Amino acid sequence: MVEVFKLAGPSVILLDELTMFARQLDDDRFEAFLSFVQSLTEASKMVPGILIIGSLPESDAEAGGERGKAALRRLEKVFGRVQSPWLPASGDETYEIIRRRLFQALDSDGEKAREETVKAFHDLYKKNAVEFPPEAKEQRYLELLRLSYPIHPELFDRLSKDWASLEKFQRTRGVLRFMANVVGVLWHSQTHDPLITPARVPVAHERVRASVLYPLDPQFGSVVDKEVDGEGSLPSRMEANPSRRISQLRAATRSARAVFLCSAPLVGQPNAGLTGQGLRLACAEPGDQLAIFGEALRELTERATYLYEEAGRYWFSTQPTLNRLADDRAKALADHDVDDAIADILRKDAAIKGGFDRVYAAPDDPVTIDEAQALSLVILGPATPHVSKGIVKSAATDAASDALMRCRATQRRFRNTLVFVAADEAGLGTARDVMRKAMAWKQIVDDKRLHDAMTTAQIADAEDKARTNRDSAQKAVRSAWSHILYGVKSDTAGKPFELEHSLISSRDRPAIPSVVYEKARADGIALEKLGTERLWHALKPIWPEDRDHLPISELTDWFSAYVYLPKLRDRVVLETSIRDAVAKLDPQFGYADSYEETTGKYRGLIWAKDPPQPFPTKAVLVSDAAAKRQLAETATAGPAAPAGSPVVPGASPSPTDDKPAPAQPRKARRFYGSVDLDMVRPVKAFDAILNAVVMELQRTQGAKVRLTLEIEAVADEGFADNDVSVVRDNARQLKFKPESTGFED
């Protein structure tokens, strides 16, 4: 061999797949082959200019069986006697080798495009240094971008380091084979991405999918299909709505791809997973909104089965997460258990009464609700939802009608004090789904045996999700209960009432009684103040002509019973209105502490004065005719009334009284008033004043009303000159009075 090498030199002899050849030989031929290789290597050592290169497997798995392992061990020793080992390509060499193997040399236009692209990426990293790993903003990273173009250095690093650590993935050849498939798919699909980042690798394509899954656990196949990439995957379903930002950028798919490619090889190892900075480096391109990838990943984490998050790191695993366990437990919950949990939230909300006197939450049968003379709320349970915005027949309307008709076995008397709120059928479905999740997470937190198999981070995560889902369930329940039902006067003869409907549309809601009361008050369903004129308008048509007085207790019952009367918050509203009406200069009725049946006289009769507080049990309202008659009789028969005592016009003076009859009380002829407007909602405040005061004043025929708006603004540090000029010009154009308008020091 020495003589042959001297004649052939200088020469390079390549011996490829030596182990594969040697393992097929029988014992004798195997020993002969090893002797030949040894002679060959010794001869090459003795002759200058002769180089023998032999390739041996990197691991026992590649050697192939026990025979292959034995051949590998013997050949390693043969070559080891004289070898000069070569190290595989690493670092920047890998970039150069793979780029040259996959892409042709750039022309002038290509060089220009490369420089523009790498500069744009590097500027992105420098301008948003906090959002990316520290090394990305350094000048060396600009050179790496240039060397690896059009492949992003992050993809090269992950493949040549993390993936190369896998037994079935070779450092250079594996990266080259993988990138050849990726580049081929992207080339045929004519994609126009500026760089091939981890987020742009088409993992779902069959060629790429096969090369990705080959060195991994086979169970990763289902993980990729369900939650990483593909038409039916979770990211794809999240992006189904084209109006969402994550759909326009495909942020969910890009984030899932990046996490998978950057975490799958290291699953189970310490500090495995992709950080937020690493995610943005693997996904973001110039012009992207950087926050969108974090948003998409957080939503993925909430919904995914195999995506884990711990200490700010994200990774995919073949083992289901607690999310999957929570989903399974949620599906196993019985419907009645879910409704019971919803009813518990309703009962807790009932403790906050809002403006109601009583709140009945999720009663088993609304007809068992007690009679009440003050405004009460009935929160109908989950079994009686309402189906639409208007009044249509539903389980809620049936329950409300029954409750207004009956109180246990008798007919209900006080119908005008009950207000009902029912769940929207669609919103109730959402509330039930959210409640299932909340109950499932609570079960996981309370499961002591499960805790033993969980890490500290998983326990903390489960507790956080249990708390979050509990709050979400409360919000969903409050949002679902949005239909207010109450009785009103019926136009159908013989029908005691009709149901009226009001819809709660606000989003962020406090406790159900509070939001229902505020809506009822704002819409005029329930009154906190009746007003003297409105009281008389309500009393006048129902005051029997043959009755000179009405007991206030009876009147209270009327307002509680008859749905054609205004709904009052409580008895105090009625008594306040009565007190104001009697104290007017020209009241429509009087007040008396009681009526004496034996004498036919009113005791403690009051006219145009404040009645006592509180009202006695037997207090009555006295018609103006009866009140004037008794006051006239008193003025005729008795001594002169003390100063300030009311006298009814038309009463004749006593024959023994030398004094002239008291003058008739004068009617009020002028109203004036001023009020501070709420600057948060001035238009609404002014509208309320217009309806409640101005419109009432205009009811009097011939009344002339003049409105004057007075504005006063004070700035401790003084108004800016520009603001002063603008206000003066606007005030002049709006015809403010010059003598009462201006600025001062």
Side-chain angles (χ1 to χ4, degrees):
M1 294 300 299
V2 172
E3 295 300 326
V4 171
F5 284 165
K6 288 180 178 179
L7 294 173
S11 298
V12 175
I13 302 172
L14 299 177
L15 304 176
D16 196 14
E17 303 295 352
L18 283 173
T19 303
M20 307 307 171
F21 178 78
R23 72 185 184 187
Q24 304 175 53
L25 303 176
D26 56 30
D27 292 341
D28 294 337
R29 297 177 62 191
F30 177 72
E31 293 297 335
F33 174 70
L34 291 177
S35 298
F36 169 73
V37 173
Q38 184 172 355
S39 299
L40 196 63
T41 56
E42 290 291 343
S44 65
K45 181 180 179 181
M46 298 172 62
V47 179
I50 300 297
L51 179 64
I52 296 179
I53 300 176
S55 66
L56 301 178
E58 192 173 8
S59 64
D60 290 347
E62 296 177 77
E66 294 300 323
R67 187 78 174 178
K69 293 179 183 178
L72 177 59
R73 299 289 178 268
R74 295 287 298 277
L75 287 170
E76 284 178 341
K77 292 180 179 180
V78 170
F79 277 94
R81 295 174 62 250
V82 294
Q83 73 173 347
S84 176
W86 286 6
L87 296 176
S90 61
D92 299 352
E93 282 186 297
T94 307
Y95 300 163
E96 191 71 16
I97 293 170
I98 294 175
R99 185 174 59 79
R100 288 183 178 180
R101 292 287 298 271
L102 295 177
F103 301 100
Q104 65 184 18
L106 296 174
D107 56 16
S108 58
D109 291 338
E111 292 282 354
K112 182 179 178 181
R114 178 179 67 177
E115 291 304 314
E116 291 176 352
T117 301
V118 300
K119 188 177 185 303
F121 271 86
H122 198 241
D123 287 345
L124 172 67
Y125 302 150
K126 287 195 300 182
K127 291 178 181 178
N128 302 276
V130 179
E131 304 292 335
F132 296 96
E135 63 272 14
K137 66 179 180 181
E138 297 176 358
Q139 190 64 26
R140 168 171 165 71
Y141 209 79
L142 176 63
E143 185 61 29
L144 291 180
L145 286 165
R146 188 177 289 111
L147 282 173
S148 60
Y149 180 85
I151 302 171
H152 196 282
E154 177 68 4
L155 180 56
F156 265 137
D157 282 348
R158 295 292 181 176
L159 293 174
S160 60
K161 295 176 182 176
D162 299 345
W163 285 81
S165 65
L166 298 175
E167 191 173 358
K168 296 181 181 179
F169 195 95
Q170 294 179 321
R171 185 186 299 265
T172 302
R173 187 179 299 180
V175 175
L176 185 59
R177 184 184 298 114
F178 176 82
M179 288 308 306
N181 289 328
V182 172
V183 171
V185 171
L186 295 177
W187 175 263
H188 286 295
S189 61
Q190 294 295 300
T191 55
H192 299 284
D193 303 322
L195 286 180
I196 305 175
T197 62
R200 294 296 187 181
V201 174
V203 178
H205 193 279
E206 56 183 7
R207 289 174 57 188
V208 179
R209 183 180 182 278
S211 58
V212 164
L213 296 178
Y214 171 71
L216 296 175
D217 186 329
Q219 295 183 27
F220 266 114
S222 61
V223 176
V224 169
D225 296 337
K226 291 180 180 179
E227 299 184 355
V228 178
D229 198 5
E231 292 185 2
S233 64
L234 175 59
S236 180
R237 297 198 304 272
M238 289 170 55
E239 296 164 350
N241 184 355
S243 63
R244 299 190 66 191
R245 290 196 307 167
I246 63 171
S247 303
Q248 296 164 4
L249 292 175
R250 295 200 69 197
T253 297
R254 290 164 66 183
S255 298
R257 287 173 176 175
V259 171
F260 174 73
L261 287 173
C262 298
S263 69
L266 303 179
V267 169
Q269 298 184 23
N271 297 323
L274 191 63
T275 63
Q277 290 183 332
L279 173 72
R280 289 183 284 274
L281 185 64
C283 295
E285 298 169 358
D288 285 343
Q289 299 176 2
L290 300 182
I292 194 67
F293 301 106
E295 293 175 12
L297 192 56
R298 282 189 291 273
E299 186 175 345
L300 272 171
T301 306
E302 290 293 328
R303 301 172 57 180
T305 301
Y306 300 98
L307 179 59
Y308 284 78
E309 188 274 330
E310 183 176 332
R313 292 180 174 271
Y314 298 85
W315 71 92
F316 281 102
S317 175
T318 57
Q319 299 298 319
T321 64
L322 292 177
N323 287 337
R324 176 63 176 272
L325 179 60
D327 288 341
D328 292 342
R329 292 199 176 193
K331 293 175 183 177
L333 290 169
D335 293 342
H336 65 86
D337 289 335
V338 177
D339 282 354
D340 287 345
I342 291 176
D344 287 341
I345 290 181
L346 299 179
R347 294 186 186 100
K348 290 178 181 178
D349 268 15
I352 305 172
K353 295 181 180 180
F356 293 100
D357 181 65
R358 296 182 184 178
V359 178
Y360 303 92
D364 294 333
D365 189 351
V367 300
T368 62
I369 294 170
D370 295 331
E371 297 273 18
Q373 287 187 293
L375 196 65
S376 301
L377 175 66
V378 181
I379 305 176
L380 296 175
T384 52
H386 194 55
V387 295
S388 76
K389 296 181 180 179
I391 287 296
V392 295
K393 185 175 176 58
S394 66
T397 59
D398 290 344
S401 297
D402 288 346
L404 289 174
M405 287 297 297
R406 295 186 295 123
C407 179
R408 296 182 175 87
T410 62
Q411 185 175 4
R412 184 172 295 278
R413 183 183 176 195
F414 298 139
R415 295 170 177 164
N416 203 36
T417 57
L418 288 185
V419 176
F420 302 84
V421 61
D424 179 77
E425 193 168 56
L428 178 60
T430 302
R432 282 171 171 158
D433 291 341
V434 179
M435 179 56 73
R436 284 181 180 275
K437 274 294 191 69
M439 294 172 67
W441 280 109
K442 186 177 185 304
Q443 286 182 1
I444 291 173
V445 170
D446 295 341
D447 192 334
K448 302 299 182 183
R449 289 166 54 176
L450 181 61
H451 270 215
D452 295 338
M454 294 165 59
T455 65
T456 303
Q458 286 178 319
I459 293 174
D461 182 51
E463 291 174 347
D464 179 66
K465 285 181 175 165
R467 181 170 54 255
T468 301
N469 280 272
R470 183 179 65 248
D471 294 342
S472 298
Q474 183 185 61
K475 290 180 181 179
V477 170
R478 289 177 173 176
S479 179
W481 263 254
S482 56
H483 296 287
I484 302 175
L485 304 171
Y486 55 96
V488 295
K489 180 182 178 181
S490 175
D491 295 329
T492 305
K495 193 172 183 180
F497 60 86
E498 297 279 0
L499 281 180
E500 188 56 80
H501 172 271
S502 182
L503 181 67
I504 302 172
S505 57
S506 59
R507 293 186 178 180
D508 295 330
R509 304 179 188 176
I512 292 174
S514 298
V515 71
V516 173
Y517 184 79
E518 288 302 316
K519 178 66 174 177
R521 186 176 61 83
D523 290 354
I525 300 171
L527 302 180
E528 292 180 336
K529 186 176 182 181
L530 184 57
T532 59
E533 292 299 324
R534 192 166 183 178
L535 172 62
W536 178 240
H537 287 318
L539 282 180
K540 187 176 181 180
I542 63 174
W543 193 320
E545 294 182 0
D546 58 347
R547 296 180 64 177
D548 289 335
H549 62 270
L550 292 175
I552 292 178
S553 59
E554 182 179 351
L555 187 60
T556 303
D557 290 348
W558 287 1
F559 272 90
S560 301
Y562 302 135
V563 295
Y564 53 79
L565 292 175
K567 287 178 173 57
L568 306 182
R569 182 188 63 193
D570 49 29
R571 182 187 177 109
V572 175
V573 176
L574 177 61
E575 292 183 354
T576 301
S577 181
I578 291 173
R579 210 169 269 112
D580 293 342
V582 173
K584 290 173 60 178
L585 292 175
D586 54 343
Q588 288 90 358
F589 49 81
Y591 164 87
D593 290 336
S594 63
Y595 175 69
E596 299 292 342
E597 294 285 349
T598 56
T599 62
K601 299 294 183 181
Y602 296 102
R603 182 181 177 186
L605 179 62
I606 291 177
W607 180 270
K609 284 181 61 179
D610 285 330
Q613 188 176 7
F615 291 154
T617 306
K618 296 182 179 180
V620 295
L621 299 185
V622 185
S623 67
D624 62 341
K628 289 176 181 178
R629 185 169 56 248
Q630 178 169 319
L631 289 173
E633 292 173 356
T634 302
T636 301
S645 298
V647 178
V648 178
S652 300
S654 172
T656 59
D657 191 355
D658 295 334
K659 295 183 179 181
Q664 179 180 352
R666 297 182 60 187
K667 290 186 177 181
R669 300 180 59 192
R670 178 174 178 267
F671 168 82
Y672 59 93
S674 63
V675 63
D676 292 333
L677 296 181
D678 180 5
M679 285 306 297
V680 177
R681 293 180 294 181
V683 176
K684 184 175 181 181
F686 183 78
D687 184 63
I689 294 170
L690 190 66
N691 291 327
V693 177
V694 178
M695 298 299 291
E696 294 295 330
L697 292 171
Q698 288 180 327
R699 292 181 186 275
T700 302
Q701 186 174 2
K704 298 179 180 179
V705 180
R706 186 180 68 175
L707 296 178
T708 302
L709 177 62
E710 181 178 329
I711 302 172
E712 181 181 2
V714 178
D716 293 338
E717 298 181 0
F719 294 99
D721 293 340
N722 290 340
D723 295 339
V724 171
S725 177
V726 170
V727 171
R728 280 176 174 163
D729 291 342
N730 292 343
R732 191 180 305 111
Q733 293 181 12
L734 293 172
K735 302 186 183 302
F736 276 53
K737 295 180 180 180
E739 63 273 13
S740 58
T741 304
F743 287 89
E744 61 184 11
D745 296 336

